[in-house]
Amino acid sequence: MVPAALLVAWFFGARWIDQPWLYPSPVRVADQLAHPLRDHFGLGSLADNTLISLVRVLIGFTLAALLGVTLGLGLGCVSALRGLFEPLVEILRPLCPIAWLPFAIAVFKLQTLPQLFGVAHSRTIFDHVQLGMIFILFWGGFFPIFTCTLDGVRGVRRNYLSLARMLGAGPWQRFLHVFLPASLPMILTGFRQGLGLCWFVIIAAEMLPGSDSGIGYLLLYAADLCAMDVVIASMVIIGVIGALLNFTMRATMQAFLRWHGKEI
Amino acid sequence: MSATDPNKSSPTSDQVLIARQVNKTFFSTSGDKVEALRAVDLSVGRGEFVVLIGPTGCGKTTLLNILGGLDSPDGGEIRFAPGFRREDGLAYVFQHYTLFPWRKLLANVAFGLQMRGVPRRRRNARARDLLQRVGLADFERAYPHELSGGMRQRVALAQALAVEPSVLLMDEPFGALDDATRKDLQQLLIDLWQTTSMSVLFVTHNIDEAVILASRICVLSGRPGRVVQDIPVSLPRPRDHLAQPFTDRLLIVRQALYSDT
């Protein structure tokens, strides 16, 4: 109801103002969305650029997930390590991932993922995956995943550990059969938050120097050329993809964890 | 300390577990000293059903945790029968959180066997058999949260029995259950205990429960906990809790509990 009303208001508002280069009609935006393979300004289509952004995000997120979970589990189980890393974590956590950009460009230049493996041009989508972007995405995804995992491990009820111990579980078995499953809900919550934040960060990162593609880049490029229909179409895509990522993560969680939220 | 004298402290052939002169003191968060146990002597015979009874906060759970190796004593010693190893000779049923919520019932019961490296097929067969014996054969694919409190404690019992312990430690396992369910589970426990050679050390503060279950009752004093009386209960089973000998025992236990405080 509300979206429909907004759409109608937008339609008539745009017609009344009659400056389509600034306030395009929803019909023109819908036309762009209906033709996702149409090339824009030689930068590729909406679909191409969305895919590029998604691939970047998935690679950065995977890296963040691997390190976040490993460090979260490690620091959660070994309190001595925790004291060692805590000050560092507290300083790095509030740092906006975008603030790493100059550093990322200084270190990685514009090197792409295939170039890391000695391939100058792989002629695949990975030619658009710059190491600097991955680095920034990593910082976006790492902290929610790390923090959630750490909290998950530290929140494991001592009773479960005592029970496991009494049933003959050694330290490694307690890790595998108690710490890990008991903190899995929190780890997956971290994944959901981390993936959402990565999607947030990539759009911003693509608008900054050093970028040449991606849905965020296309959005800003179109804005410079006053192609507001493409801008708004990009915004719609960014929102929908974000919602889909969130929904997928939540569904995965529910499928995995029938017992979650029902601790006894 | 003279407790190292082997003649005095080694369990005799019919004893599986001996605690001698066990002390334990805690420090509360405000820094106060809390003496939980003072010079506790306790022994559990082979196949015996010992009930530890005492007022709330007398250190019953602390003593059980020390015997189970979950806590260490400040003084005194714990001895086991020769050849007995804590890791595979003991099982523990807690009052709460007795099951892993992320495991289905079958996997919960099979946990101990899985930790011992028993192959899946064999441990599942054994777990199935035990679930049947506690009356939950149809629930092997259920999760703990889908069960009532009484059913969960049945599973907990099966889980503990799966590892064939020589001593089963139980910390007020039926404390949170309603009366009828509690009676059912007491009967089930007695039935299971009678079909094995295991010993049970059972903590409760319910006098009726103590006399129903025990072959011997150890009465602990209020804090700091000491064993103030050892009361053998040789009534025939099943026990009629309305019969005169039963109520006589109740009275003796009650007197022992209240004479101290």
Side-chain angles (χ1 to χ4, degrees), chain A residues 2 6 15-16 29 31-32 35 52 56 64 68 70 92 96 102 130 148 166 168 174 185 207 210 232 248 263:
Chain A
V2 174
L6 281 175
R15 215 161 74 165
W16 179 62
V29 174
D31 176 66
Q32 293 297 357
H35 298 91
I52 287 169
R56 286 171 176 159
T70 310
L92 290 181
C96 173
Q130 288 86 352
C148 281
M166 289 313 303
R174 287 201 292 275
M207 294 182 173
I232 296 175
T248 312
E263 293 212 33

Side-chain angles (χ1 to χ4, degrees), chain A residues 72-73 75-78 82 146-162 178-187 259-260 263-264, chain B residues 97 101-102:
Chain A
L73 289 173
L75 265 62
C77 293
V78 187
R82 208 150 54 225
F146 169 76
T147 311
C148 281
T149 306
L150 191 66
D151 287 350
V153 173
R154 297 181 69 179
V156 174
R157 289 185 190 281
R158 301 212 56 80
N159 302 62
Y160 295 139
L161 294 166
S162 299
V178 180
F179 275 120
L180 210 52
S183 47
L184 198 57
M186 282 300 281
I187 294 177
W259 60 274
H260 178 47
E263 293 212 33
I264 49 169
Chain B
Y97 310 109
W102 53 87

Side-chain angles (χ1 to χ4, degrees), chain A residues 157 159-170 173-174 177-179 181-182 256 258-259 262-264, chain B residues 68-70 87 90 92 94 96-103 111-112 114-116 143-146 152 159:
Chain A
R157 289 185 190 281
N159 302 62
Y160 295 139
L161 294 166
S162 299
L163 180 62
R165 222 175 113 181
M166 289 313 303
L167 290 167
Q173 288 176 316
R174 287 201 292 275
H177 296 289
V178 180
F179 275 120
F256 256 98
R258 272 183 56 198
W259 60 274
K262 291 162 182 157
E263 293 212 33
I264 49 169
Chain B
L70 294 175
E87 303 87 85
L90 277 180
Y92 202 138
F94 300 87
H96 297 296
Y97 310 109
T98 47
L99 300 171
F100 302 112
W102 53 87
R103 285 181 165 237
F111 187 90
Q114 187 183 354
M115 296 307 109
R116 285 162 174 75
Y143 282 95
H145 70 80
E146 297 168 305
R152 279 181 213 155
Q159 184 187 55

Side-chain angles (χ1 to χ4, degrees), chain A:
Chain A
M1 194 58 207
V2 174
L6 281 175
L7 215 56
V8 171
W10 174 12
F11 180 79
F12 286 106
R15 215 161 74 165
W16 179 62
I17 297 169
D18 196 27
Q19 293 175 339
W21 56 91
L22 278 182
Y23 308 105
S25 149
V27 178
R28 289 190 50 189
V29 174
D31 176 66
Q32 293 297 357
L33 288 170
H35 298 91
L37 299 178
R38 186 186 284 161
D39 181 81
H40 296 286
F41 332 113
L43 294 174
S45 65
L46 285 169
D48 291 337
N49 284 285
T50 305
L51 198 63
I52 287 169
S53 299
L54 263 176
V55 167
R56 286 171 176 159
V57 160
L58 290 181
I59 293 174
F61 168 78
T62 306
L63 207 64
L66 286 175
L67 258 103
V69 169
T70 310
L71 282 176
L73 289 173
L75 265 62
C77 293
V78 187
S79 50
L81 284 177
R82 208 150 54 225
L84 220 60
F85 280 87
E86 207 126 59
L88 189 64
V89 167
E90 289 311 316
I91 291 171
L92 290 181
R93 195 206 315 267
L95 195 56
C96 173
I98 299 295
W100 284 101
L101 184 79
F103 180 80
I105 291 179
V107 173
F108 298 106
K109 311 291 185 292
L110 296 177
Q111 208 185 8
T112 64
L113 193 61
Q115 283 167 1
L116 183 67
F117 297 101
V119 182
H121 295 287
S122 68
R123 297 187 192 287
T124 64
I125 196 163
F126 296 109
D127 286 341
H128 294 281
V129 179
Q130 288 86 352
L131 297 180
M133 293 256 187
I134 302 302
F135 182 76
I136 290 169
L137 282 168
F138 168 79
W139 287 112
F142 175 77
F143 278 109
I145 297 171
F146 169 76
T147 311
C148 281
T149 306
L150 191 66
D151 287 350
V153 173
R154 297 181 69 179
V156 174
R157 289 185 190 281
R158 301 212 56 80
N159 302 62
Y160 295 139
L161 294 166
S162 299
L163 180 62
R165 222 175 113 181
M166 289 313 303
L167 290 167
W172 174 243
Q173 288 176 316
R174 287 201 292 275
F175 173 76
L176 210 61
H177 296 289
V178 180
F179 275 120
L180 210 52
S183 47
L184 198 57
M186 282 300 281
I187 294 177
L188 292 184
T189 302
F191 283 179
R192 189 153 73 94
Q193 288 177 7
L195 191 58
L197 206 59
C198 278
W199 187 242
F200 226 87
V201 164
I202 189 64
I203 304 304
E206 284 170 353
M207 294 182 173
L208 294 168
S211 172
D212 64 350
S213 55
I215 191 73
Y217 182 74
L218 183 64
L219 190 157
L220 206 68
Y221 198 93
D224 286 344
L225 297 176
C226 276
M228 281 303 275
D229 52 343
V230 178
V231 170
I232 296 175
S234 303
M235 287 168 67
V236 170
I237 290 174
I238 292 167
V240 168
I241 299 265
L244 279 178
L245 290 177
N246 191 30
F247 174 80
T248 312
M249 288 309 284
R250 207 191 324 231
T252 312
M253 206 162 151
Q254 274 159 3
F256 256 98
L257 304 170
R258 272 183 56 198
W259 60 274
H260 178 47
K262 291 162 182 157
E263 293 212 33
I264 49 169

Side-chain angles (χ1 to χ4, degrees), chain B:
Chain B
M1 199 159 111
S2 66
T4 47
D5 180 353
N7 296 322
K8 280 199 161 176
S9 53
S10 286
T12 57
S13 60
D14 57 344
Q15 285 176 326
V16 276
L17 153 63
I18 287 186
R20 278 179 53 83
Q21 298 291 305
V22 169
N23 293 312
K24 182 75 187 179
T25 302
F26 291 111
F27 290 92
S28 69
T29 41
S30 53
D32 297 327
K33 240 172 124 172
V34 180
E35 195 178 6
L37 298 170
R38 181 186 292 169
V40 170
D41 285 321
L42 178 80
S43 71
V44 178
R46 217 175 280 281
E48 202 177 15
F49 200 124
V50 179
V51 171
L52 266 178
I53 192 168
T56 306
C58 73
K60 302 180 295 263
T61 298
T62 306
L63 180 57
L64 216 57
N65 284 344
I66 287 173
L67 295 175
L70 294 175
D71 207 340
S72 52
D74 294 333
E77 58 168 356
I78 314 291
R79 290 273 184 133
F80 297 101
F84 178 96
R85 296 197 322 147
R86 240 186 204 142
E87 303 87 85
D88 40 44
L90 277 180
Y92 202 138
V93 177
F94 300 87
Q95 181 174 3
H96 297 296
Y97 310 109
T98 47
L99 300 171
F100 302 112
W102 53 87
R103 285 181 165 237
K104 295 178 182 179
L105 292 203
L106 193 72
N108 255 296
V109 175
F111 187 90
L113 296 174
Q114 187 183 354
M115 296 307 109
R116 285 162 174 75
V118 176
R120 179 187 296 270
R121 191 174 293 189
R122 259 180 52 210
R123 66 176 191 249
N124 282 352
R126 171 122 181 91
R128 246 178 225 116
D129 176 50
L130 277 159
L131 275 175
Q132 189 183 352
R133 280 167 66 188
V134 299
L136 290 172
D138 298 333
F139 290 86
E140 62 172 67
R141 290 167 172 281
Y143 282 95
H145 70 80
E146 297 168 305
L147 306 181
S148 69
M151 289 158 95
R152 279 181 213 155
Q153 290 308 69
R154 281 171 189 270
V155 181
L157 208 49
Q159 184 187 55
L161 292 179
V163 301
E164 296 179 347
S166 6
V167 181
L168 178 59
L169 306 174
M170 305 184 84
D171 186 14
E172 299 196 36
F174 309 147
L177 305 178
D178 66 79
D179 230 39
T181 311
R182 175 190 275 251
K183 289 238 161 4
D184 287 347
L185 275 159
Q186 287 167 352
Q187 192 52 53
L188 175 69
L189 174 58
I190 290 296
D191 291 346
L192 290 168
W193 167 67
Q194 283 181 324
T195 58
T196 61
S197 60
M198 83 179 163
S199 317
V200 179
L201 185 57
F202 188 105
V203 162
T204 184
H205 58 250
N206 182 320
I207 302 174
D208 205 69
E209 182 164 72
V211 182
I212 285 269
L213 295 172
S215 39
R216 184 157 59 87
I217 298 175
C218 289
V219 181
L220 260 76
S221 66
R223 188 178 291 157
R226 287 162 291 121
V227 177
V228 288
Q229 210 165 331
D230 229 331
I231 305 170
V233 186
S234 52
L235 303 172
R237 300 177 193 268
R239 290 176 179 166
D240 177 0
H241 65 275
L242 294 176
Q244 183 75 40
F246 188 91
T247 50
D248 286 349
R249 288 286 148 184
L250 279 184
L251 223 63
I252 293 172
V253 177
R254 184 166 292 143
Q255 272 165 358
L257 269 173
Y258 295 141
S259 66
D260 172 70
T261 49

